[in-house]
């Protein structure tokens, strides 16, 4: 299991744990008599904090990976669909070789 997936699973697990601790009176009504309710509520709040941290870390990595996956055009490159075809200017053709002038005597 990757760290990315583990953060999501831990976040969901801590969220469910916090919900179960906060709703303990519905599941086990006599649990408040055996344990200190203030400490139980503090444990539930800490579980919510850990759930939030793990879910935020997971979301940051997920959004960063999604941003890297979007295709982007190379900077400073013209869009080929916008450029109109023009005739090349023969005066700017530097690949051709100049021929020697023919009016000089031999």
């Amino acid at each position: 299991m990757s760290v990315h997936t583990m953060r999501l699973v831990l976040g969901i697990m801590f969220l469910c744990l916090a919900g179960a601790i906060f709703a303990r009176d519905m599941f086990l009504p006599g649990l408040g008599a055996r344990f200190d309710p203030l400490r139980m509520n503090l444990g539930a709040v800490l579980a919510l904090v850990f759930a939030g941290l793990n879910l935020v870390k997971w979301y940051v990595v997920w959004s960063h990976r999604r941003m890297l996956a979007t295709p982007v055009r190379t900077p400073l490159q013209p869009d080929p669909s916008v450029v109109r075809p023009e005739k090349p200017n023969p005066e700017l053709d530097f690949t051709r070789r100049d021929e020697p002038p023919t009016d000089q005597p031999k």
Side-chain angles (χ1 to χ4, degrees):
M1 181 182 296
S2 70
V3 175
H4 181 67
T5 308
M6 195 180 328
R7 283 186 179 139
L8 178 64
V9 170
L10 276 173
I12 293 172
M13 183 189 72
F14 277 123
L15 197 62
C16 292
L17 181 65
I21 292 174
F22 277 131
R24 67 185 177 270
D25 289 333
M26 288 183 357
F27 300 122
L28 300 168
L31 195 64
R34 287 183 23 196
F35 298 106
D36 186 15
L38 181 64
R39 290 185 182 184
M40 296 286 283
N41 288 338
L42 180 62
V45 169
L46 286 176
L48 281 177
V49 169
F50 289 143
L53 285 174
N54 281 304
L55 290 174
V56 165
K57 286 181 182 180
W58 171 81
Y59 178 74
V60 166
V61 172
W62 177 76
S63 64
H64 180 68
R65 285 183 182 177
R66 192 180 60 160
M67 184 183 64
L68 290 179
T70 56
V72 178
R73 205 173 63 224
T74 308
L76 302 176
Q77 297 294 321
D79 189 6
S81 63
V82 176
V83 177
R84 295 186 180 128
E86 297 178 4
K87 289 184 176 180
N89 189 351
E91 294 177 357
L92 299 176
D93 187 14
F94 299 110
T95 58
R96 65 184 171 110
R97 301 190 69 152
D98 290 334
E99 297 181 12
T102 56
D103 59 337
Q104 292 181 359
K106 291 187 179 181

